[in-house]
Amino acid sequence: MKTALVLCLLLASCAQPGAKPKIRIAILSGAVGQLHIYMAKHLGFFEREGLDVHLEEMSSTGKTMEALVGGSVEIGASTYEQTVQVAAKDRGIKSFFVLFTSPNIVLTVAAGRPQINKVAHLKGRMVGVTSLGSASQNYLSLILIRNGMTLADVTPVAIGAAASAIAAVENAKVDAAMLTSLTFETLRGRRPEITVLFDARTAEGTTALFGVPHIPIVAVASSSRWLLQNPDIARRVVRALTRAGRWIQEHPAEEVAANMPESFRPPGSDAPLKALRLALPAYSVDGRMPPDGPAAVLAYLKVAVDPSLNVDLSKTYTNEYLEGKP
């Protein structure tokens, strides 16, 4: 009996090295900027790299970063600005693949507010953001500053995303709102007359907001410790994401949209296709950090969020695991 037990244990230990590494990736549900990850999973690119990847959908990028810092996932797809802010607190989180280089947001006026037709008209008004303290609120702060105002001139209101955000705008629960491209296009399909105050979905809009045409908005991050301990797995994740980025760029927008998860595709709507066409130039193919990107993000955070923010940007990202390296 003992001999059989020992043999079973030996066989189990021998089989273990051949098992696929299980990787948990925290993602924001329905986020167009994280499409690489969905596609890498859907098209089998993670599996080709010998990885058993499980996607953990979160309700906000804040929750994604919490999961990563807390250790309940190995990898998180979140905003690069959060990585910078967390690095300022010495949490040891580092981005290693840039997914998306546009803020992908639209500042739009709520239904029944024809008197609001420029940013200055928002003074004293309620403006919807996904959640208080979120990136969308930070972008709102920067837009206001660029127009001679501050966040103190408005009242930010948490309205969530997708359906809840659309309901808030259509029912005038707020006077204006920061909407992602997909949410905005879904809303405009129902309300073509909707007024836009600021559109940051193009390189021109991104430049007007941040001073550069491409800025690291969404990135894949992990702890510096995990990356050092698992360099081969990190490279395999990067290869899968690189294949997904190339697939997105090499296929017609219609085919990409058809392969998007159902959470991206409201029934009977062409909003996903419209949003995708605008988003395509912002999808990274190689995951490389834009040379002036980190400095632009830090400068934006100092203007819009915290003037005292100080961080060694070299600790916030790495290109070490990319194909070809710098």
Side-chain angles (χ1 to χ4, degrees), residues 58-78:
M58 303 290 169
S59 59
S60 68
T61 54
K63 293 294 184 185
T64 296
M65 189 57 71
E66 284 178 19
L68 184 56
V69 171
S72 61
V73 297
E74 287 74 36
I75 294 172
S78 188

Side-chain angles (χ1 to χ4, degrees), residues 150-197:
T150 71
L151 197 61
D153 290 316
V154 304
T155 301
V157 178
I159 60 172
S164 62
I166 290 173
V169 174
E170 281 195 310
N171 298 320
K173 300 294 185 184
V174 291
D175 299 294
M178 298 287 288
L179 303 178
T180 64
S181 185
L182 180 55
T183 301
F184 171 73
E185 291 297 345
T186 303
L187 173 66
R188 188 159 64 172
R190 294 157 58 160
R191 297 270 189 165
E193 77 283 1
I194 210 79
T195 299
V196 172
L197 297 180

Side-chain angles (χ1 to χ4, degrees), residues 5-314:
L5 179 60
V6 170
L7 181 59
C8 287
L9 290 172
L10 286 172
L11 288 172
S13 64
C14 290
Q16 195 62 30
K20 291 181 181 178
K22 180 179 178 180
I23 306 298
R24 297 162 298 178
I25 303 180
I27 54 174
L28 180 61
S29 180
V32 172
Q34 299 182 15
L35 190 58
H36 284 71
I37 300 172
Y38 285 100
M39 287 303 188
K41 175 76 171 175
H42 175 64
L43 298 172
F45 297 146
F46 286 130
E47 191 173 356
R48 281 194 212 175
E49 291 295 334
L51 299 174
D52 180 16
V53 169
H54 295 256
L55 304 184
E56 309 280 346
E57 294 202 353
M58 303 290 169
S59 59
S60 68
T61 54
K63 293 294 184 185
T64 296
M65 189 57 71
E66 284 178 19
L68 184 56
V69 171
S72 61
V73 297
E74 287 74 36
I75 294 172
S78 188
T79 58
Y80 171 67
E81 70 181 67
Q82 282 188 320
T83 303
V84 172
Q85 291 170 304
V86 167
K89 299 175 183 177
D90 274 335
R91 296 295 180 85
I93 300 298
K94 184 175 287 188
S95 294
F96 65 98
F97 191 99
V98 174
L99 297 170
F100 203 65
T101 59
S102 163
N104 202 43
I105 52 92
V106 182
L107 175 55
T108 187
V109 179
R113 297 287 190 273
Q115 66 275 33
I116 302 175
N117 52 48
K118 59 182 180 179
V119 174
H121 293 163
L122 293 178
K123 191 165 186 177
R125 302 279 189 169
M126 293 190 297
V127 183
V129 295
T130 53
S131 61
L132 298 182
S134 65
S136 68
Q137 178 174 306
N138 296 341
Y139 299 154
L140 170 63
S141 176
L142 191 58
I143 291 171
L144 292 170
I145 289 168
R146 296 281 188 250
N147 286 270
M149 301 165 66
T150 71
L151 197 61
D153 290 316
V154 304
T155 301
V157 178
I159 60 172
S164 62
I166 290 173
V169 174
E170 281 195 310
N171 298 320
K173 300 294 185 184
V174 291
D175 299 294
M178 298 287 288
L179 303 178
T180 64
S181 185
L182 180 55
T183 301
F184 171 73
E185 291 297 345
T186 303
L187 173 66
R188 188 159 64 172
R190 294 157 58 160
R191 297 270 189 165
E193 77 283 1
I194 210 79
T195 299
V196 172
L197 297 180
F198 193 93
D199 191 336
R201 296 178 295 172
T202 63
E204 293 76 19
T206 302
T207 301
L209 195 55
F210 298 103
V212 293
H214 303 288
I215 190 166
I217 295 296
V218 185
V220 171
S222 188
S223 69
S224 299
R225 176 187 238 176
W226 186 88
L227 289 169
L228 284 172
Q229 292 176 343
N230 300 277
D232 178 61
I233 294 177
R235 289 188 183 95
R236 284 193 263 170
V237 169
V238 162
R239 284 197 296 267
L241 294 176
T242 300
R243 286 194 184 96
R246 288 174 182 158
W247 190 94
I248 290 169
Q249 295 292 352
E250 292 170 358
H251 288 75
E254 291 80 3
E255 188 174 349
V256 176
N259 279 276
M260 289 164 73
E262 288 186 10
S263 58
F264 289 73
R265 296 183 276 129
S269 171
D270 62 355
L273 186 56
K274 289 181 177 179
L276 180 63
R277 283 178 174 145
L278 277 167
L280 281 174
Y283 286 113
S284 172
V285 173
D286 60 10
R288 199 165 303 281
M289 178 65 71
D292 51 359
V297 169
L298 181 58
Y300 135 64
L301 288 172
K302 284 190 170 187
V303 170
V305 182
D306 181 4
S308 66
L309 187 64
N310 189 28
V311 61
D312 180 354
L313 291 173
S314 68

